[in-house]
Amino acid sequence: MTHGAVGAVALFLGVGIGISDDEARAEASDAGPTPRITVTKTVTKEVEVPGPEVTVTKTATVTAKPPKPPKPKGPPTTVGGDGEYLVGKEMRAGTYRTGGPGESFGCYWERARNSSGEFDAIIANGNLEGSGRVTVNKGEIFKSTGCQDWKKAG
């Protein structure tokens, strides 16, 4: 009999659970339709289409940098046949040559320590009847009278 009693209790419990489950379903169906989940998958595939080749042109605005200023050339390498020049400022240091006297008689040149005009300031000097060469150093004064232009030779 014990087994029968246990079976009867189990039957009542099962029926009770079944009824409460049906009530829960009825309440859920009264709330509205159940949502459905839909999954969509997109596939991209590249396909070559025959036809003309397409060229794309892009336009860009570019601001150019201003040109660099030219480097200072320094003192000239040619000086006139009549004048007084500070070597390193008004003419470059180095060896200069002349064709000799200009249209006047004689060509005088002078290298001096300064422009004082004193006899002791003269380093070297000379009179040319034809062409000649003189080497001058930075800081000296070069004087020329009655000569053709002096051009740097080295």
Side-chain angles (χ1 to χ4, degrees):
M1 182 120 159
T2 338
H3 289 293
V6 171
V9 170
L11 179 64
F12 285 119
L13 281 174
V15 171
I17 292 174
I19 290 173
S20 69
D21 188 38
D22 287 341
E23 288 173 4
R25 282 189 191 154
E27 287 175 14
S29 67
D30 292 341
T34 0
R36 295 182 101 190
I37 298 175
T38 306
V39 177
T40 306
K41 183 176 179 183
T42 304
V43 178
T44 304
K45 185 175 180 183
E46 289 186 23
V47 178
E48 284 191 31
V49 177
E53 195 171 301
V54 177
T55 303
V56 177
T57 304
K58 291 184 180 181
T59 303
T61 303
V62 178
T63 303
K65 293 180 181 177
K68 292 182 180 178
K71 290 184 180 180
K73 294 181 180 180
T77 57
T78 300
V79 294
D82 287 314
E84 186 174 302
Y85 309 97
L86 174 59
V87 180
K89 292 280 187 182
E90 299 171 315
M91 69 184 290
R92 291 186 189 182
T95 301
Y96 287 78
R97 66 175 180 220
T98 183
E103 294 185 21
S104 64
F105 177 74
C107 167
Y108 173 77
W109 63 268
E110 176 181 302
R111 289 176 49 219
R113 286 180 183 73
N114 56 50
S115 60
S116 67
E118 295 179 11
F119 186 72
D120 291 345
I122 297 173
I123 299 168
N125 64 353
N127 286 301
L128 298 174
E129 292 180 15
S131 63
R133 290 179 179 256
V134 176
T135 300
V136 293
N137 301 305
K138 186 175 181 178
E140 295 178 349
I141 301 293
F142 177 70
K143 296 178 186 178
S144 176
T145 306
C147 304
Q148 295 179 39
D149 288 350
W150 292 86
K151 296 179 183 179
K152 194 166 186 305

